[in-house]
Amino acid sequence: MKKILLFVLFACTSFTAFSQAVKPMLLDKANVSANWMQIKNYYLLTLLQQDVEVSKMLINDPQLARLTKEKVDACTASLNCKEVSCFTANNKFSDTEIKLVSDRLQALYQPANPLGKLVQGKLTPSGRYNLYKDASPVELLVKAWEQDAAGINYVIDVYAGGQKPNYPQIDSISFNVKAKSYPIFLYNAAGVLAEDAKTEKLFFEPGMQAALLYLEINGRHDPANYEPMQNTVNKAAVEQIKITKWSTYPYSVILVPGAGADDLTTEITPDGMLRCRLAAQQYFKHAAPFIMVSGGKVHPYKTKYCEAEEMKKFLVETVHVPASAIIMEPHARHTTTNMRNGARLMFKYGIPLNKPGIVITDRSQTNGIINMAARCMRELKYVPYNLGKHISDTEIEFYPLTSALQINPYEPLDP
């Protein structure tokens, strides 16, 4: 399961909500494929894996090397497991192991060495760990490691162990963990992981690869859907962004949250159609140059229909909005992440931040967004936007915040 990785960094600095330009992403120029599941969920670990000099430091550290051997041996030991709890325990990081790594990273860190340069040049500017932006560089490194480790443990608990996720109706494991055949299935997975572990040299690779494998066999590749979007579903819009005369519009973008269906055959719901028509009315009135449709493959459980994709089809084929004026955000699973992911794409694609975006939806969801800050704090640990004017029952202004770039380790299907 060795992966060749393309790196995506969000280069941004702190700014007020009402002004300031944030540069779009920085790209590794290597022409390689990307493991988007890994990049989006375990950003620090991907950085450590990709940086040759940093990897060498970690591999040569005696205590981390010992931990690596222990984790590789645990993969082999899983072939003797009979119970689900045995498999998951061997894959996860213990509290003691997490503390050991935290201590070693702190000891190894020096501002001028490769690890220090990685933190200051890539990790901090990425914004992926913005919850710790006020910490010192070495403290941010430790917090980022602890977050990634917690995220790995969470995936293993949910998608191998069958524990309930935050939203069980849409995000649960695909298997009956109480079935007699399930430990045999995990034994087969353990065989794959044990073979991979023979060539793994970094202490976190066995656990990370276990988490990625469990997501894969559950059919949970949602974060990777449509990526890299600037080269696929959003290519025309990204090109149009480069030549847009922003000064001629009062708003930068019209954000339309999706509305999931109750059955597996409905492609787009009536609510989704109405929201699209409201947005199109404002688009044709020249309110903003782009409509951003937001929503993933969410409702019902394991639906094959993506809310954003179906809304884009409806806008293009039925309402006749140009495809180049539509930005797809096909990953959000909640209203909180409609807003967060919309903000992320505004940063990533270089959409100006000196004017507001506008959310257009039905009245009930508009009211929900107005009162959503507490829910954002509960589920995301931050609020990814500032709200502006409440224009009408169906329209409200918003300004993206850099807090939106923070990874959520407990929502691996849309971190």
Side-chain angles (χ1 to χ4, degrees):
M1 290 176 61
K2 288 300 180 185
K3 309 293 184 182
I4 301 174
L5 301 174
L6 169 66
F7 234 99
V8 180
L9 292 176
F10 288 67
C12 58
T13 56
S14 58
F15 62 96
T16 65
F18 301 92
S19 64
Q20 194 105 359
V22 175
K23 290 184 180 292
M25 60 187 178
L26 297 173
L27 290 175
D28 187 324
K29 300 301 182 182
N31 183 24
V32 295
S33 61
N35 181 351
W36 292 96
M37 296 291 293
Q38 178 178 323
I39 291 170
K40 289 188 176 183
N41 276 290
Y42 314 120
Y43 194 72
L44 167 66
L45 301 186
T46 309
L47 277 175
L48 299 179
Q49 191 179 56
Q50 206 184 47
D51 189 301
V52 174
E53 292 302 315
V54 171
S55 292
K56 192 179 299 182
M57 287 180 63
L58 302 179
I59 291 169
N60 291 335
D61 180 78
Q63 293 186 53
L64 293 180
R66 190 178 308 117
L67 177 60
T68 302
K69 184 178 185 306
E70 290 171 0
K71 301 307 288 183
V72 169
D73 289 346
C75 286
T76 302
S78 291
L79 297 174
N80 297 317
C81 287
K82 304 296 182 183
E83 304 293 333
V84 172
S85 59
C86 176
F87 290 105
T88 57
N90 283 345
N91 292 150
K92 290 165 57 181
F93 294 104
S94 69
D95 291 344
T96 300
E97 290 168 341
I98 292 172
K99 179 65 164 55
L100 168 66
V101 175
S102 295
D103 291 344
R104 293 313 301 151
L105 290 176
Q106 196 158 14
L108 291 169
Y109 178 92
Q110 295 293 331
N113 72 8
L115 186 58
K117 291 177 181 177
L118 181 145
V119 171
Q120 297 172 62
K122 293 182 178 179
L123 185 66
T124 300
S126 75
R128 300 294 182 91
Y129 303 91
N130 259 343
L131 284 177
Y132 321 114
K133 65 181 184 297
D134 296 327
S136 69
V138 68
E139 289 171 337
L140 186 144
L141 171 64
V142 169
K143 291 291 188 182
W145 149 246
E146 291 172 352
Q147 176 179 303
D148 280 10
I152 286 171
N153 285 354
Y154 179 84
V155 167
I156 293 169
D157 280 336
V158 173
Y159 292 104
Q163 291 188 15
K164 284 187 177 181
N166 294 330
Y167 287 86
Q169 289 187 332
I170 56 173
D171 296 339
S172 292
I173 192 171
S174 302
F175 309 101
N176 177 5
V177 297
K178 296 181 180 179
K180 291 182 179 180
S181 60
Y182 186 62
I184 298 173
F185 181 76
L186 287 185
Y187 172 84
N188 293 333
V192 172
L193 293 171
E195 184 63 26
D196 286 342
K198 293 177 181 179
T199 58
E200 290 167 351
K201 298 179 179 180
L202 291 164
F203 63 88
F204 57 82
E205 287 179 328
M208 182 177 71
Q209 294 302 337
L212 293 171
L213 178 65
Y214 292 135
L215 285 169
E216 179 179 271
I217 60 181
N218 274 271
R220 294 300 195 172
H221 44 70
D222 298 69
N225 288 344
Y226 308 97
E227 294 287 9
M229 293 191 294
Q230 69 272 14
N231 296 334
T232 58
V233 293
N234 287 335
K235 184 175 182 180
V238 169
E239 291 301 314
Q240 188 64 32
I241 286 169
K242 297 174 184 177
I243 59 173
T244 296
K245 295 181 179 179
W246 299 96
S247 61
T248 64
Y249 300 91
Y251 298 107
S252 59
V253 67
I254 299 168
L255 176 62
V256 187
D262 294 325
D263 61 79
L264 289 168
T265 59
T266 299
E267 299 175 14
I268 182 171
T269 62
D271 285 341
M273 294 178 194
L274 291 174
R275 293 176 189 181
C276 285
R277 286 199 173 274
L278 287 170
Q281 287 173 349
Q282 292 305 312
Y283 169 79
F284 287 122
K285 289 179 182 178
H286 213 66
F290 297 96
I291 298 174
M292 184 185 295
V293 286
S294 175
K297 296 180 179 180
V298 187
H299 298 284
Y301 178 76
K302 286 205 168 181
T303 178
K304 66 179 180 179
Y305 294 114
C306 172
E307 294 169 6
E309 183 176 29
E310 298 307 321
M311 286 193 291
K312 180 177 180 178
K313 286 181 184 177
F314 180 78
L315 284 167
V316 172
E317 297 173 6
T318 304
V319 191
H320 307 299
V321 175
S324 60
I326 301 173
I327 301 169
M328 269 181 58
E329 188 295 294
H331 301 119
R333 305 180 73 76
H334 313 287
T335 307
T336 53
T337 48
N338 288 139
M339 300 295 292
R340 182 201 67 183
N341 294 1
R344 287 178 175 179
L345 289 188
M346 292 173 74
F347 295 133
K348 185 173 183 178
Y349 294 158
I351 293 174
L353 307 175
N354 59 355
K355 60 179 61 187
I358 181 173
V359 183
I360 295 184
T361 183
D362 53 67
R363 181 169 63 179
S364 63
Q365 190 173 43
T366 299
N367 290 335
I369 291 170
I370 291 171
N371 299 292
M372 198 168 65
R375 180 183 170 190
C376 286
M377 290 302 299
R378 185 171 63 253
E379 297 184 6
L380 304 176
K381 309 304 180 188
Y382 59 87
V383 181
Y385 56 83
N386 274 339
L387 294 180
K389 298 176 184 177
H390 184 189
I391 303 166
S392 72
D393 285 345
T394 59
E395 301 168 315
I396 186 168
E397 296 176 348
F398 75 99
Y399 299 85
L401 299 177
T402 51
S403 56
L405 303 178
Q406 167 71 38
I407 294 170
N408 185 348
Y410 304 113
E411 289 287 341
L413 307 189
D414 180 30

